[in-house]
Amino acid sequence: MKNIVVLSGAGISSESGCNTFRDSNGLWRKYRIEEVASPVAWRNNPELVLEFYNERRKKLFEVEPNAGHKALVELEKKYNVNIITQNVDDLHERAGSTNVLHLHGELKKARSTCDPDLVYELDSWELKLGDLCEKGCQLRPHIVWFGEPVPMFEKAIRIASKADIFIVVGTSMVVYPAASLINYVPLNAKKYYVDPNAGNLVGINDLHIIKEKAGTALPPLVKNLLES
Ligand code: APR
């Protein structure tokens, strides 16, 4: 069975109603990264950080996977599919994808601030100051903040290095190390980049660019891959 690896970003969830980060109405137009998505932000104003993620988590309980997420599930009929996502939403899982690796964490989980191995599923949208782990430490969003290491990246490299087909969808490819993942994909792998604003990725040859929305481009691309 051939391996398909997908690297997804905020763009694939935008048709579900989730904000991206760097589009015209993106989150980084409304919030400053250093105030809501960094260890310094957490030290300086944990309430603002908790509010930023609570708002996004609340929204996540109101949205559904879209045609783009669902198309990727169909690929599992014929391929060994790994989704490597920069997204912290659970829309790939809710669509039915079975192998999802979250490089930047998961919005519906919280983590102990004194023992990073203590990770908890959140059953409501709100995480507050005073919500403690079993060791009595404050819980924080289970998100990789800017300036923090990306623990899943080594595993992502191992997966990408075995790709026969690599599909980049809905990401501006400006955040590292996630954006460097394509450099680990075998040279002879088929590579697609699905994004209305997709541009050439420097140094990546024979990249098939599809300048369309994920919900429009993925269903026919998946149909083609299932029939080929
Ligand atoms: N279908 C496909 N792509 C889309 C769609 C759509 N419907 N709508 C927008 N896009 C594209 C945009 O053109 C853009 O290239 O999705 C991309 C979103 O880029 P960003 O907002 O930068 O999001 P992303 O690449 O996921 O950001 C990476 O940065 O802020 C951090 O940790 C955060 O995981 C995030 C990382």
Side-chain angles (χ1 to χ4, degrees):
M1 213 180 218
K2 288 199 172 218
N3 297 323
I4 291 189
V5 180
V6 177
L7 173 64
S8 69
I12 196 170
S13 297
S14 68
E15 289 164 84
S16 294
C18 299
N19 288 81
T20 63
F21 293 95
R22 296 171 184 83
D23 282 330
S24 51
N25 63 343
L27 286 168
W28 300 145
R29 305 289 172 127
K30 297 172 198 144
Y31 295 90
R32 289 164 55 84
I33 288 175
E34 53 276 15
E35 288 176 350
V36 295
S38 73
V40 171
W42 177 249
R43 257 198 313 281
N44 291 343
N45 191 344
E47 292 90 342
L48 178 60
V49 174
L50 288 170
E51 181 192 319
F52 174 65
Y53 289 98
N54 284 345
E55 274 175 36
R56 292 171 66 197
R57 197 174 299 114
K58 192 173 186 182
K59 174 84 178 174
L60 184 51
F61 280 101
E62 296 158 9
V63 299
E64 295 295 327
N66 62 60
H69 297 105
K70 291 173 186 165
L72 296 176
V73 181
E74 294 304 300
L75 286 172
E76 298 191 12
K77 289 176 183 164
K78 183 179 172 185
Y79 297 90
N80 175 36
V81 182
N82 276 279
I83 309 276
I84 299 173
T85 187
Q86 299 171 88
N87 299 341
V88 294
D89 64 51
D90 60 346
L91 294 174
H92 283 300
E93 291 92 335
R94 282 163 55 194
S97 286
T98 52
N99 293 315
V100 181
L101 184 152
H102 287 271
L103 281 179
H104 295 162
E106 296 178 65
L107 197 49
K108 288 189 174 176
K109 291 183 179 173
R111 182 168 84 227
S112 164
T113 48
C114 61
D115 180 350
D117 294 335
L118 294 179
V119 179
Y120 304 86
E121 293 277 344
L122 290 171
D123 47 17
S124 90
W125 62 271
E126 201 171 16
L127 182 59
K128 303 183 299 301
L129 280 184
D131 289 346
L132 308 179
C133 75
E134 59 212 65
K135 292 184 175 177
C137 305
Q138 174 66 44
L139 290 177
R140 57 162 276 183
H142 184 49
I143 301 289
V144 177
W145 284 330
F146 284 89
E148 292 188 316
V150 182
M152 303 299 273
F153 191 61
E154 291 305 314
K155 182 174 179 184
I157 291 174
R158 287 195 296 277
I159 294 169
S161 64
K162 297 191 184 73
D164 298 299
I165 298 168
F166 192 75
I167 302 172
V168 179
V169 51
T171 173
S172 55
M173 294 293 271
V174 297
V175 172
Y176 287 78
S180 69
L181 212 48
I182 195 165
N183 299 321
Y184 296 89
V185 173
L187 285 176
N188 62 349
K190 272 191 183 175
K191 304 170 198 75
Y192 300 88
Y193 187 5
V194 175
D195 184 321
N197 301 308
N200 265 314
L201 298 176
V202 176
I204 303 297
N205 52 9
D206 66 26
L207 178 69
H208 185 150
I209 293 178
I210 305 173
K211 289 196 167 197
E212 289 175 5
K213 292 186 170 186
T216 309
L218 288 179
L221 173 59
V222 164
K223 184 169 181 295
N224 176 285
L225 289 170
L226 289 174
E227 288 168 357
S228 66

